[in-house]
Amino acid sequence: MKNQDVILTIWLTGAVLISLGFIFVIRQAGQPDTDAAARVHASHQWQGRLFIVMVLAFIVGTWATLRTFPIPRQDVASGAPQTVEAVGRMWSWELRPDKIDAGSMVEFRVTTVDVNHGFGVYAPDGRIVTQTQAMPGYTNRLVHIFAEPGIYTVQCIEYCGVGHGPMRATFEVLAPRGQ
Ligand SMILES: [Cu+2]
């Protein structure tokens, strides 16, 4: 399941539960006041249980969907066999090395020497593959496994001044060794 589908599912589930809560309150509001105290008591019990169920559902849903969160820990090295140092500046990228192997994980260590930039990686067919922020004073780790060899493009995807549009660089993904 794609991340977008997981988020949509969580959002829809939450929206349905909240809607049910509203429907319950609206239905309660329309009932005649026969035994107000007992009804209020039952209503509070029902709402308390609903609240606990909702909290548990969100805890379980969050754990189930985010335990394989695709963003690696930022405070330790990912252990990826390949690393690329990526430094942005107005208005260019420096990538070292600029050749990597397909089929094994690469860790981009992304930073910038001036302002915020967006580190967007585009496949040879123009489709965006992965991205992260480039921030002065921070190194953001972005891991990815390239399946297809080819010339990939890094394009700044956060407006950073007059040279933003052509702020790009390329790197080559080589076919896995032994092929
Ligand atoms: Cu930019």
Side-chain angles (χ1 to χ4, degrees):
M1 191 184 246
K2 284 192 295 188
N3 287 343
Q4 290 92 332
D5 297 332
V6 171
I7 292 165
L8 180 65
T9 305
I10 294 172
W11 187 88
L12 283 175
T13 306
V16 167
L17 288 173
I18 291 168
S19 301
L20 286 175
F22 273 102
I23 291 167
F24 174 78
V25 170
I26 291 166
R27 283 174 61 94
Q28 291 288 311
Q31 289 183 2
D33 193 9
T34 49
D35 188 358
R39 192 164 52 76
V40 166
H41 179 68
S43 171
H44 284 174
Q45 272 192 333
W46 198 91
Q47 288 169 15
R49 286 186 196 129
L50 176 65
F51 180 74
I52 290 168
V53 167
M54 285 173 70
V55 169
L56 288 176
F58 277 102
I59 289 172
V60 171
T62 303
W63 176 81
T65 54
L66 291 187
R67 78 198 149 95
T68 55
F69 201 59
I71 297 173
R73 278 182 62 175
Q74 298 294 305
D75 55 336
V76 291
S78 65
Q82 312 181 81
T83 57
V84 173
E85 302 291 337
V87 181
R89 58 173 54 80
M90 293 187 279
W91 290 279
S92 62
W93 293 104
E94 183 184 337
L95 305 173
R96 283 180 298 146
D98 60 0
K99 287 183 171 49
I100 55 176
D101 295 325
S104 86
M105 187 179 285
V106 57
E107 176 184 309
F108 293 95
R109 296 177 181 160
V110 182
T111 188
T112 150
V113 297
D114 39 44
V115 300
N116 269 29
H117 297 283
F119 182 82
V121 177
Y122 289 81
D125 64 1
R127 163 180 67 84
I128 192 163
V129 173
T130 184
Q131 63 90 26
T132 190
Q133 278 267 309
M135 303 150 71
Y138 293 88
T139 298
N140 289 334
R141 299 171 195 274
L142 175 69
V143 296
H144 190 72
I145 298 174
F146 292 89
E148 298 292 331
I151 304 293
Y152 286 69
T153 303
V154 172
Q155 166 71 52
C156 183
I157 51 174
E158 179 169 330
Y159 184 73
C160 57
V162 293
H164 164 73
M167 180 174 164
R168 63 177 73 96
T170 56
F171 63 90
E172 185 174 7
V173 175
L174 306 166
R177 285 171 199 171
Q179 287 188 13

